[in-house]
Amino acid sequence: MPRSVASPTPGRDSNRTVGSEYSGPAAAPGDTPAPPDPALVTAADTAVAAAADELIALSHDIHAEPELAFEEVRSVAKTLAPLRRRGFEIECPVAGLDTAFTATYGSGELMVGICAEYDALPEIGHACGHNIIAAAAVGAGLGLAEVADACGITVRVFGTPAEESGGGKVLMLERGVFDGAAMAMMVHPGPYDIVGARSLALADLSIVFHGREAHASAAPEQGRNAGDAVTVAQVALGLLRQHLNPGQQLHGIVKTGGAAPNIVPGHAELLYYLRAVDSASLDDLVRRASACFEAGALATGCTHEVRTLAPTYAELTPDPALLCAYREQIVGMGRVPLAPDLEAARPLGSTDMGNLTHVIPGIHPVIGIDAGGAVTHQPEFAAACVTPSADVAITDGATALARTAIGVAGDQSHRNRLLERSSRRQEDIR
C-alpha cells in the first residue's frame, strides 16, 4: 500500500466482477457478531502460538530477500512451506500468474479467504511490511485449519502478488480465483492500529511524449522537444492541484527525459499515480489530468500517448460486521485502535484489496508496529518491520483474523448473510 500519513504511537500496551456488485452488507455498522466460541478460540490461538517462531522466521526470511511485483518466486515458496506441512491443498500458479497461489484446508460451506501479500518496493525493500502480511496470513490460516471442521468452514489462503504495482488481486478476481469466497480478510502493518482503514481509488499511468531529435546547438529548430512537453505537462498539473476536489491527488516522476544535453530529446516519459476518494472522482481526475498531458504535447509540437500500467484500484468498502468483530478482538488483546470517527480522516494510499471489497465482504485493517515515527514507504519503516514490535503484530494479526472468522462463522445471522451473498454471486457468474 502506498505511503501513509504520519502518526501517533501504535496502540498497544473485470468481467467476472460485473453484476451484483457488493455495495455493503445488510447488517448495521454496530451489529457485532456474537462472541466466538471460547473453546474454538482457544484451539485457534494455541495453533497460532505454536507456530509463532515459524511465522516470525518466515517474515524475516521474506524481508531479507525482497522481490518486486510478479517476481516473488522465493517469497511464494517460503510462504507456502508451512501451509504445505499442515496439509493445505496447494495450487500454484493460478490465474496465469506465476507467483499467485491458493492454499485450501477443510470442506465447510462457508469459505473464509485470507489474503497474503509479499511483493516489495524498488530500492527500499519491504518498506510497506508485506513480509508481516504474508506471515500473519499464514498464521491465520493455520489457526483456522485447527477449527475448520467444527466451524463448518473452508479456509483458503490466497497468495496475491504485485500489490504495490500490478494489481494481482484484481487479475485474480477477474479470472475467477476468488469465486466461492464468502469473505476476504488481511492485515497490513502501519504506525498505528486502524480497524476501518480507508484507501483511495488509483490509476497507474505512463505518459509517453514523442518528438524529434536534433543537434541542440547546430540545428535546434529541427527538433521537437519531448522533454519540454514533460515540463509543460507538469507545470499544468501543478497549477491544476489548486483546483482539485477534496481527496484527489496526483504525483509522479520523470522516467526518461533525454540522453545528452546536446541532443534535443525525441522521447520522454512520465509515470504518474492519480488518486481520489472513489472511482467516480478518479474518473473526473483522469479527465482533467489528461488535458494537462495533451497540453504538453500541443505546446511543443509533440505527440503523446497515455497507457494504463496496471488495473485501476478501487477504494476500500469494508464490511461493517467484520469490522466490528475484528475491533472487538484487537481491543480485547490490548491494542488501542483509532476511534471510528478519526478513521475517515486518514486515508492510507491505495490497495487492490479495494476491488475485492466491492465484490466480496472483506476487511483490510492496519495493525500497528513501533516504527519510531517512520511511515510506510520509508527505509526506516522497512527496518521496523523485523523488530520485536513487528513480530508481535504477526501473531496478533493472525490471532485477530482467526477469531474474527470464528465469530462470524458461528453467528447464524451473519453466516447466512455471507452465504446468501456468495450464492448470489455464483449465480451471477454462471
Side-chain angles (χ1 to χ4, degrees), residues 344-398:
R346 293 180 178 271
L348 296 178
S350 306
T351 172
D352 56 1
M353 187 69 178
N355 300 63
L356 210 54
T357 64
H358 278 255
V359 178
I360 300 168
I363 54 172
H364 179 285
V366 174
I367 191 157
I369 69 172
D370 184 359
V375 295
T376 52
H377 291 211
Q378 291 183 324
E380 296 83 359
F381 193 86
C385 285
V386 284
T387 60
S389 172
D391 296 343
V392 171
I394 295 167
T395 52
D396 279 3

Side-chain angles (χ1 to χ4, degrees), residues 19-178:
S20 189
E21 183 172 285
Y22 183 67
S23 59
D31 190 3
T32 307
D37 184 318
L40 298 178
V41 166
T42 297
D45 286 0
T46 300
V48 173
D53 289 345
E54 188 175 19
L55 298 174
I56 292 167
L58 169 62
S59 171
H60 289 218
D61 286 349
I62 292 174
H63 188 279
E65 294 186 284
E67 297 171 296
L68 301 182
F70 299 119
E71 299 174 0
E72 314 97 323
V73 176
R74 294 186 301 272
S75 297
V76 165
K78 294 170 184 177
T79 303
L80 284 174
L83 297 170
R84 183 176 280 113
R85 283 193 292 271
R86 180 60 177 83
F88 278 70
E89 181 182 344
I90 308 298
E91 186 177 357
C92 183
V94 296
L97 306 174
D98 289 341
T99 54
F101 70 80
T102 61
T104 306
Y105 192 96
S107 57
E109 63 175 347
L110 184 77
M111 184 186 293
V112 176
I114 309 292
C115 293
E117 296 174 2
Y118 29 71
D119 60 316
L121 290 155
E123 299 185 3
I124 55 175
H126 280 288
C128 213
H130 290 193
N131 56 302
I132 295 171
I133 297 173
V138 170
L142 295 176
L144 288 171
E146 199 66 24
V147 297
D149 289 343
C151 290
I153 63 174
T154 296
V155 186
R156 180 163 292 171
V157 178
F158 293 92
T160 64
E163 186 276 336
E164 292 294 348
S165 179
K169 292 183 194 63
V170 183
L171 299 174
M172 293 170 70
L173 183 64
E174 291 174 346
R175 297 170 187 178
V177 178
F178 287 97

Side-chain angles (χ1 to χ4, degrees), residues 16 48 55 110 128 192-193 234 272 325 332 341 364 370 428:
R16 302 184 69 94
V48 173
L55 298 174
L110 184 77
C128 213
Y192 46 94
D193 284 271
Q234 294 214 96
Y272 258 78
D341 60 334
H364 179 285
D370 184 359
D428 292 341

Side-chain angles (χ1 to χ4, degrees), residues 250-262:
L250 34 82
H251 36 259
I253 62 170
V254 179
K255 182 180 180 183
T256 57
N262 62 347

Side-chain angles (χ1 to χ4, degrees), residues 221-305:
E221 72 280 2
Q222 297 296 320
R224 296 294 180 267
N225 197 313
D228 287 351
V230 161
T231 300
V232 172
Q234 294 214 96
V235 169
L237 291 169
L239 295 172
L240 174 62
R241 281 189 172 92
Q242 179 185 359
H243 307 288
L244 295 179
N245 293 323
Q248 291 181 331
Q249 302 175 1
L250 34 82
H251 36 259
I253 62 170
V254 179
K255 182 180 180 183
T256 57
N262 62 347
I263 304 172
V264 173
H267 173 91
E269 182 177 7
L270 291 170
L271 298 179
Y272 258 78
Y273 280 179
L274 310 184
R275 305 184 201 252
V277 292
D278 56 37
S279 298
S281 182
L282 180 62
D283 289 343
D284 171 69
L285 179 58
V286 169
R287 177 184 59 79
R288 299 175 75 187
S290 294
C292 297
F293 304 141
E294 185 177 0
L298 181 63
T300 56
C302 295
T303 60
H304 81 297
E305 55 186 310

